[in-house]
Amino acid sequence: MTDDKQPPSGGSAGPKNAAPSEASATELTPRARLYTRLFMGSLVVTLLLYFMSIPFIYFAWISAPATIVFAILSLVASRAQKKITGLRLGLSMGIVLAGLSMVLALGVWVFQDAIIAQRDCMARALTNTAQKQCDDAYDEAYQAELEKFGLTLP
C-alpha cells in the first residue's frame, strides 16, 4: 500500500486546456457573483425603504445609486459569460427600479409637508367625514405645492 494521493474515482485528469463545458459557460465569475449579491441586497433595501415612513425613504438616495453601481459592475464583470440573458435582464430591470425609487424619494421630499399633514390628520380622524376632510386638505396642499412649480392639475 502506498500513501500516494489518487485522483478521485469518477473524475478524469484531463488536459488543463480542454474546452470549457456547458456549465462553465453559464457560471459567473466570483467577482460577478459578488457584485450580483450586493446588487440584490441593496435593491431589497431600496425597495423596503420606499415602504417606510418619511425619514427613512431619504436613505433611498444612498441605496438606489449603490444598487445601480452594483448592477453596472455585475454587468461589466459578466460580459464574457454566455447564456445569462435572464440575469442581464434582471439587472437592467433593477437599474430601472432603483432609478424610479430615487425619483419617488425626490417626490416625497417635495411634497413632504403635505404628506406629513395628511398622515397626522388621518391619525386623528375618527369618522368618515373627518377622513374626507383630511383628504380634501391634502388635495389643497398638493395643489399648492404644484403651483409653486407652475403646474396645475385639471
Side-chain angles (χ1 to χ4, degrees):
M1 295 263 261
T2 62
D3 290 333
D4 293 338
K5 293 189 179 184
Q6 300 289 328
S9 62
S12 64
K16 298 228 183 233
N17 57 3
S21 66
E22 186 75 22
S24 66
T26 60
E27 189 173 319
L28 290 177
T29 62
R31 181 189 297 171
R33 190 175 298 120
L34 171 68
Y35 290 144
T36 302
R37 287 179 181 159
L38 290 172
F39 158 76
M40 289 188 298
S42 63
L43 182 63
V44 167
V45 167
T46 301
L47 295 176
L48 287 177
L49 286 172
Y50 176 70
F51 293 107
M52 298 182 109
S53 69
I54 290 278
F56 296 108
I57 195 169
Y58 299 132
F59 288 110
W61 290 338
I62 298 168
S63 66
T67 301
I68 292 170
V69 167
F70 290 137
I72 291 170
L73 289 172
S74 181
L75 285 169
V76 169
S78 66
R79 68 183 178 273
Q81 269 68 37
K82 306 284 188 241
K83 299 182 181 180
I84 57 169
T85 306
L87 175 66
R88 290 188 177 117
L89 182 63
L91 291 168
S92 301
M93 295 303 289
I95 290 171
V96 170
L97 281 174
L100 286 173
S101 293
M102 286 175 47
V103 171
L104 291 171
L106 178 65
V108 168
W109 180 65
V110 170
F111 298 109
Q112 175 180 353
D113 294 333
I115 293 170
I116 290 174
Q118 200 257 355
R119 183 182 64 191
D120 293 342
C121 182
M122 291 299 271
R124 292 186 309 267
L126 298 176
T127 63
N128 290 337
T129 305
Q131 290 176 355
K132 177 72 171 137
Q133 289 173 347
C134 291
D135 289 338
D136 291 341
Y138 173 75
D139 289 339
E140 289 174 15
Y142 183 77
Q143 290 289 343
E145 289 292 328
L146 284 177
E147 288 174 3
K148 287 182 185 177
F149 298 104
L151 301 172
T152 57
L153 291 177

